């Protein structure tokens, strides 16, 4: 019976997430109507937060499981395209979603090192890591290290490294979530952090990786829509073309004109303004290696049905992340143009 329900859910993923997207679109339109009718902005913000956390919690509760393979690796049944979306949501964290456009806004060409390094890391994952992690059939990275190198010494070293990486990464993510929640909801920063932790626990504790995976697919849809729509809107209003990736060159031209008017124009030095070429490419290399070794990214490739699906899921991950990173320079350009 459990296997039948699992199969039915997996076979109907397209329908399930189509209904979800339709419901999400309806909710956004409904909130826009409420705003036009004069509903206070604070109520609308709280409604958005309650709806998103509510749907994530619902998915987490519905995905609850006591099966070890489902809790740790989602039953190794996640199709490549959905695993790619979940990985994209994993990666579109505070650094990417909040910081990428801001980095390009401030650093200009130098900020592209982060785009190249973070996306290049997935090439290393696809070639050197993902297929082998899935081939060993382990549940975690320490399990893989213990199986690959034998004994508990390698497993223990893997645990220590994962704890160090995870502690640093989680601290940064909680700080980002606290900033966002406190700004949008008007609550104290400390309370906002605990609210974020509570949301994570509800979404993941009962169902483990199974719940996290299907929640992250839903999260990706919300994140990418929230990121693309403002850039598309600014491009349409400014140039009449809803493709910001093709029109932000015009925004850069306008920025140059505004700089001349405001008397803040800089002489052109390309392309390394704040660092040497060696430092630039060293940063890219370090970001690639760091990305390829992030524990929450590596865990995603234990969840696919086969080694081939693991390789394909890396490709889908690159595509879904590309949608954000290809838009980030446009986002930065249009934001700076409007600000000036």
């Amino acid at each position: 019976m459990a296997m039948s329900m699992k199969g039915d859910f997996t076979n109907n993923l397209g329908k399930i997430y189509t209904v979800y997207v339709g419901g999400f679109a309806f909710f956004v339109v409904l909130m826009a109507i409420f705003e036009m009718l004069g509903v206070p902005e604070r109520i609308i913000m709280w409604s958005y937060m309650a709806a998103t956390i509510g749907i994530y919690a619902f998915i987490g509760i519905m995905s609850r499981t006591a099966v070890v393979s489902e809790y740790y690796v989602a039953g190794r049944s996640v199709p490549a395209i959905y695993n790619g979306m979940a990985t994209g949501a994993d990666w579109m964290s505070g650094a990417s979603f909040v910081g990428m456009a801001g980095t390009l806004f401030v650093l200009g060409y130098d900020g592209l090192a982060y785009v190249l390094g973070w996306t290049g890391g997935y090439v290393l994952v696809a070639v050197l890591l993902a297929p082998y992690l899935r081939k060993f059939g382990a549940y975690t990275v320490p399990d893989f290290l213990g199986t690959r190198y034998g004994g508990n010494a390698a497993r223990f070293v893997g645990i220590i490294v994962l704890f160090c990486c995870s502690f640093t990464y989680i601290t940064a993510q909680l700080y980002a979530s606290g900033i966002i929640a406190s700004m949008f909801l008007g609550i104290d920063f400390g309370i906002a952090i605990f609210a974020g932790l509570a949301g994570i626990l509800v979404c993941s504790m009962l169902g483990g990786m199974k719940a996290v995976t299907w929640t992250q697919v839903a999260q990706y849809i919300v994140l990418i829509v929230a990121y693309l729509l403002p850039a598309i809107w600014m491009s349409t209003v400014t140039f009449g073309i809803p493709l910001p990736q093709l029109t932000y060159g015009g925004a850069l031209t306008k920025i140059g004109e505004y700089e001349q008017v405001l008397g803040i124009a800089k002489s052109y030095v390309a392309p390394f303004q704040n660092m040497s070429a060696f430092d630039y490419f060293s940063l890219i290399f370090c970001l690639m290696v760091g990305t390829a070794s992030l524990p929450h990214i590596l865990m995603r490739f234990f969840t696919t049905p086969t080694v081939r699906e693991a390789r394909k899921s890396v490709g889908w991950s690159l595509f879904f992340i590309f949608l954000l990173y290809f838009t980030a320079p446009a986002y930065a350009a249009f934001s700076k143009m409007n600000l000036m």
Side-chain angles (χ1 to χ4, degrees):
M1 180 66 177
M3 290 297 292
S4 176
M5 291 177 64
K6 173 180 162 185
D8 290 341
F9 179 80
T10 305
N11 293 334
N12 290 288
L13 285 172
K15 294 179 181 179
I16 292 169
Y17 284 106
T18 298
V19 172
Y20 168 76
V21 170
F24 174 61
F26 173 77
F27 178 76
V28 171
V29 172
L30 183 64
M31 291 298 103
I33 293 173
F34 284 170
E35 185 176 15
M36 293 172 61
L37 294 175
V39 175
E41 183 177 314
R42 186 178 180 85
I43 294 178
I44 293 176
M45 290 295 186
W46 276 95
S47 298
Y48 270 113
M49 185 65 70
T52 51
I53 292 179
I55 189 65
Y56 299 156
F58 175 76
I59 294 173
I61 293 171
M62 293 301 295
S63 301
R64 62 187 182 277
T65 181
V67 179
V68 173
S69 63
E70 291 187 348
Y71 195 88
Y72 283 104
V73 291
R76 304 193 195 277
S77 61
V78 183
I81 185 170
Y82 292 100
N83 201 54
M85 294 178 74
T87 307
D90 249 339
W91 187 241
M92 285 166 58
S93 56
S96 294
F97 189 82
V98 179
M100 178 51 64
T103 300
L104 294 170
F105 183 105
V106 174
L107 298 181
Y109 286 110
D110 289 348
L112 292 175
Y114 293 90
V115 177
L116 295 172
W118 284 339
T119 53
Y122 281 88
V123 178
L124 296 183
V125 171
V127 175
L128 302 177
L129 296 172
Y132 303 102
L133 290 174
R134 179 61 189 85
K135 184 177 181 180
F136 268 77
Y139 283 140
T140 64
V141 174
D143 280 343
F144 165 78
L145 293 174
T147 304
R148 174 65 178 80
Y149 297 103
N152 291 323
R155 191 189 305 269
F156 180 74
V157 171
I159 291 172
I160 296 299
V161 172
L162 286 176
F163 263 109
C164 293
C165 293
S166 299
F167 181 81
T168 305
Y169 197 83
I170 289 173
T171 301
Q173 298 309 318
L174 288 177
Y175 188 82
S177 65
I179 291 175
I180 295 171
S182 61
M183 288 179 61
F184 280 91
L185 299 180
I187 59 178
D188 181 73
F189 177 76
I191 297 175
I193 288 181
F194 281 105
L197 282 170
I200 293 170
L201 286 175
V202 172
C203 294
S204 61
M205 186 171 64
L206 296 177
M209 183 61 81
K210 178 183 177 183
V212 167
T213 297
W214 303 126
T215 302
Q216 285 176 329
V217 174
Q219 287 175 354
Y220 178 82
I221 295 169
V222 174
L223 288 169
I224 199 63
V225 170
Y227 200 87
L228 291 180
L229 275 183
I232 292 172
W233 176 259
M234 287 187 287
S235 177
T236 304
V237 170
T238 307
F239 298 105
I241 302 174
L243 292 172
Q245 299 87 351
L246 301 181
T247 60
Y248 77 91
L252 293 174
T253 301
K254 288 183 177 292
I255 289 172
E257 295 172 356
Y258 291 146
E259 287 178 338
Q260 294 290 341
V261 172
L262 297 173
I264 57 174
K266 299 178 182 179
S267 57
Y268 176 72
V269 285
F272 311 109
Q273 300 174 11
N274 303 310
M275 62 181 79
S276 67
F278 176 79
D279 291 339
Y280 187 82
F281 289 106
S282 296
L283 176 60
I284 292 175
F285 174 76
C286 291
L287 290 169
M288 289 176 64
V289 175
T291 299
S293 60
L294 285 173
H296 66 295
I297 298 299
L298 293 178
M299 281 300 300
R300 291 252 53 94
F301 305 107
F302 290 103
T303 63
T304 57
T306 63
V307 174
R308 183 180 181 185
E309 286 287 291
R311 289 186 186 274
K312 288 171 63 178
S313 71
V314 179
W316 281 112
S317 302
L318 278 170
F319 170 74
F320 290 124
I321 294 168
F322 160 83
L323 293 178
L324 183 143
Y325 279 7
F326 195 50
T327 308
Y331 214 126
F334 280 108
S335 299
K336 192 165 190 175
M337 181 191 72
N338 289 333
L339 181 62
M340 296 181 71

